[in-house]
Coordinates of all heavy atoms in Angstrom, one line a residue:
T1 N -10.8 12.3 -18.4 CA -10.6 11.1 -17.6 C -9.2 10.6 -17.8 O -8.6 10.6 -18.9 CB -11.6 10.0 -18.1 OG1 -12.9 10.4 -17.9 CG2 -11.3 8.7 -17.3
E2 N -8.6 10.1 -16.7 CA -7.2 9.5 -16.7 C -7.3 8.2 -15.9 O -8.1 8.2 -15.0 CB -6.2 10.5 -16.0 CG -5.9 11.7 -16.8 CD -5.0 11.6 -17.9 OE1 -4.2 10.6 -18.0 OE2 -5.0 12.4 -18.8
S3 N -6.5 7.3 -16.3 CA -6.5 6.0 -15.5 C -5.0 5.7 -15.2 O -4.1 6.0 -16.0 CB -7.1 4.9 -16.2 OG -6.5 4.6 -17.4
F4 N -4.8 5.2 -14.0 CA -3.4 4.9 -13.5 C -3.5 3.9 -12.4 O -4.6 3.6 -11.9 CB -2.7 6.2 -13.1 CG -3.6 7.0 -12.1 CD1 -3.4 6.8 -10.7 CD2 -4.5 7.9 -12.5 CE1 -4.2 7.5 -9.8 CE2 -5.3 8.6 -11.6 CZ -5.1 8.4 -10.3
D5 N -2.4 3.3 -12.1 CA -2.2 2.4 -10.9 C -1.7 3.1 -9.7 O -0.7 3.9 -9.9 CB -1.4 1.2 -11.3 CG -2.0 0.3 -12.3 OD1 -3.2 0.2 -12.4 OD2 -1.3 -0.3 -13.1
L6 N -2.2 2.8 -8.6 CA -1.7 3.3 -7.3 C -0.9 2.2 -6.6 O -1.6 1.1 -6.4 CB -2.8 3.8 -6.4 CG -3.3 5.2 -6.6 CD1 -4.4 5.5 -5.6 CD2 -2.3 6.3 -6.5
P7 N 0.3 2.4 -6.2 CA 1.0 1.3 -5.5 C 0.4 1.2 -4.1 O -0.2 2.1 -3.6 CB 2.5 1.8 -5.4 CG 2.4 3.3 -5.6 CD 1.2 3.5 -6.5
P8 N 0.6 0.0 -3.4 CA 0.0 -0.2 -2.1 C 0.4 0.9 -1.1 O -0.5 1.3 -0.3 CB 0.7 -1.5 -1.6 CG 0.9 -2.2 -2.9 CD 1.3 -1.2 -3.9
A9 N 1.6 1.5 -1.1 CA 1.9 2.5 -0.2 C 1.0 3.8 -0.4 O 0.6 4.4 0.6 CB 3.4 2.9 -0.3
A10 N 0.8 4.1 -1.6 CA -0.1 5.3 -1.9 C -1.5 5.0 -1.6 O -2.3 5.9 -1.1 CB 0.0 5.6 -3.4
V11 N -2.0 3.7 -1.7 CA -3.4 3.4 -1.3 C -3.5 3.5 0.2 O -4.5 4.1 0.7 CB -3.7 1.9 -1.7 CG1 -5.0 1.5 -1.1 CG2 -3.7 1.8 -3.2
R12 N -2.5 3.1 1.0 CA -2.5 3.2 2.4 C -2.5 4.7 2.8 O -3.3 5.2 3.7 CB -1.3 2.5 3.1 CG -1.4 1.0 3.1 CD -0.3 0.4 3.9 NE 1.0 0.7 3.5 CZ 1.7 0.0 2.6 NH1 1.1 -1.0 2.0 NH2 2.9 0.4 2.2
L13 N -1.7 5.5 2.2 CA -1.6 6.9 2.4 C -2.9 7.6 2.1 O -3.4 8.4 2.9 CB -0.5 7.5 1.6 CG -0.3 9.0 1.7 CD1 0.2 9.4 3.1 CD2 0.7 9.5 0.6
L14 N -3.5 7.3 1.0 CA -4.8 7.9 0.6 C -5.9 7.5 1.6 O -6.7 8.3 2.0 CB -5.2 7.4 -0.8 CG -6.4 8.0 -1.5 CD1 -6.3 9.5 -1.5 CD2 -6.6 7.5 -2.9
L15 N -6.0 6.2 1.9 CA -7.0 5.8 2.9 C -6.8 6.5 4.3 O -7.8 6.9 4.8 CB -7.0 4.3 3.1 CG -7.7 3.5 1.9 CD1 -7.3 2.0 2.0 CD2 -9.2 3.7 1.9
D16 N -5.6 6.5 4.7 CA -5.4 7.2 6.0 C -5.7 8.7 5.9 O -6.3 9.2 6.9 CB -3.9 7.0 6.4 CG -3.5 5.6 6.8 OD1 -4.5 4.8 7.1 OD2 -2.3 5.3 6.9
G17 N -5.3 9.3 4.9 CA -5.6 10.8 4.7 C -7.1 11.0 4.6 O -7.6 11.9 5.2
L18 N -7.8 10.2 3.8 CA -9.3 10.4 3.7 C -9.9 10.2 5.0 O -10.9 10.9 5.4 CB -9.8 9.4 2.7 CG -9.5 9.8 1.2 CD1 -9.9 8.6 0.3 CD2 -10.3 11.0 0.8
S19 N -9.5 9.2 5.8 CA -10.1 8.9 7.1 C -9.9 10.2 8.1 O -10.8 10.5 8.8 CB -9.4 7.7 7.8 OG -9.7 6.6 7.0
Q20 N -8.7 10.8 8.0 CA -8.5 11.9 8.8 C -9.3 13.1 8.4 O -9.9 13.9 9.2 CB -7.0 12.3 8.9 CG -6.2 11.2 9.6 CD -6.6 11.1 11.0 OE1 -6.9 12.1 11.8 NE2 -6.7 9.9 11.5
I21 N -9.4 13.3 7.1 CA -10.2 14.4 6.6 C -11.7 14.2 6.9 O -12.4 15.2 7.3 CB -10.0 14.6 5.0 CG1 -8.6 15.1 4.7 CG2 -11.1 15.5 4.4 CD1 -8.2 15.0 3.3
A22 N -12.2 13.0 6.8 CA -13.5 12.7 7.2 C -13.8 13.0 8.6 O -14.9 13.3 9.0 CB -13.8 11.2 6.9
A23 N -12.8 12.9 9.5 CA -12.9 13.2 10.9 C -12.8 14.7 11.2 O -12.9 15.1 12.3 CB -11.9 12.4 11.7
G24 N -12.5 15.5 10.2 CA -12.4 16.9 10.3 C -11.0 17.4 10.6 O -10.8 18.5 11.0
N25 N -10.0 16.5 10.5 CA -8.6 16.9 10.7 C -7.9 17.4 9.5 O -8.1 16.9 8.4 CB -7.8 15.7 11.3 CG -8.4 15.2 12.6 OD1 -8.7 16.0 13.4 ND2 -8.4 13.9 12.8
A26 N -7.1 18.4 9.7 CA -6.2 18.9 8.6 C -5.1 17.8 8.4 O -4.7 17.2 9.4 CB -5.6 20.2 8.9
V27 N -4.6 17.6 7.2 CA -3.6 16.6 6.9 C -2.5 17.2 6.1 O -2.7 18.0 5.2 CB -4.3 15.4 6.1 CG1 -3.2 14.4 5.7 CG2 -5.4 14.8 6.8
S28 N -1.3 16.9 6.5 CA -0.1 17.2 5.8 C 0.7 16.0 5.6 O 0.7 15.1 6.4 CB 0.8 18.2 6.6 OG 0.2 19.4 6.7
V29 N 1.4 15.9 4.5 CA 2.3 14.7 4.2 C 3.7 15.3 4.4 O 4.1 16.3 3.8 CB 2.1 14.2 2.8 CG1 3.1 13.1 2.5 CG2 0.7 13.7 2.6
V30 N 4.5 14.6 5.2 CA 5.9 15.0 5.5 C 6.8 13.8 5.2 O 6.6 12.7 5.8 CB 6.0 15.4 7.0 CG1 7.5 15.7 7.3 CG2 5.1 16.5 7.3
P31 N 7.8 13.9 4.4 CA 8.7 12.8 4.2 C 9.4 12.4 5.5 O 9.8 13.3 6.3 CB 9.7 13.4 3.2 CG 9.1 14.5 2.6 CD 8.1 15.1 3.6
V32 N 9.7 11.2 5.7 CA 10.3 10.7 7.0 C 11.7 11.3 7.1 O 12.1 11.6 8.2 CB 10.4 9.2 7.0 CG1 11.1 8.7 8.2 CG2 9.0 8.6 7.0
Q33 N 12.4 11.6 6.0 CA 13.7 12.2 6.1 C 13.7 13.7 6.3 O 14.7 14.3 6.4 CB 14.5 11.9 4.8 CG 15.0 10.5 4.7 CD 13.9 9.5 4.3 OE1 12.9 9.9 3.7 NE2 14.0 8.2 4.7
A34 N 12.5 14.3 6.3 CA 12.5 15.8 6.5 C 13.1 16.2 7.8 O 13.1 15.5 8.8 CB 11.0 16.2 6.5
E35 N 13.8 17.3 7.7 CA 14.4 17.9 8.9 C 13.6 19.0 9.5 O 13.1 19.9 8.8 CB 15.8 18.4 8.6 CG 16.8 17.3 8.2 CD 18.2 17.8 7.9 OE1 18.4 19.0 7.8 OE2 19.1 16.9 7.7
L36 N 13.4 18.9 10.8 CA 12.5 19.9 11.5 C 13.3 20.8 12.3 O 14.4 20.4 12.9 CB 11.5 19.2 12.3 CG 10.7 18.1 11.7 CD1 9.9 17.3 12.7 CD2 9.7 18.7 10.6
T37 N 12.9 22.0 12.5 CA 13.5 22.9 13.5 C 13.0 22.5 14.9 O 12.1 21.6 15.0 CB 13.0 24.4 13.3 OG1 11.6 24.4 13.6 CG2 13.2 24.9 11.9
T38 N 13.7 23.0 15.9 CA 13.3 22.6 17.2 C 11.9 23.0 17.6 O 11.2 22.3 18.3 CB 14.3 23.1 18.3 OG1 14.5 24.5 18.1 CG2 15.7 22.4 18.1
Q39 N 11.5 24.1 17.0 CA 10.1 24.6 17.3 C 9.1 23.7 16.6 O 8.1 23.3 17.3 CB 10.0 26.0 16.8 CG 8.7 26.7 17.2 CD 8.5 26.8 18.7 OE1 9.4 27.4 19.3 NE2 7.4 26.4 19.3

């Protein structure tokens, strides 16, 4: 067992991710500053 605090941003991320997984969607986390190829 481990205990820790989750900041509000992580709580929102976790809730959003769990909701999508519950709906059957695959989930990836991408930093907003990530650079994407044109494809």
Side-chain angles (χ1 to χ4, degrees):
T1 300
E2 294 282 340
S3 63
F4 52 91
D5 292 330
L6 279 180
V11 173
R12 287 189 301 272
L13 179 67
L14 185 57
L15 282 168
D16 290 345
L18 286 170
S19 295
Q20 291 301 316
I21 292 169
N25 296 320
V27 176
S28 293
V29 177
V30 178
V32 173
Q33 286 76 24
E35 293 183 351
L36 306 172
T37 66
T38 53
Q39 188 63 51

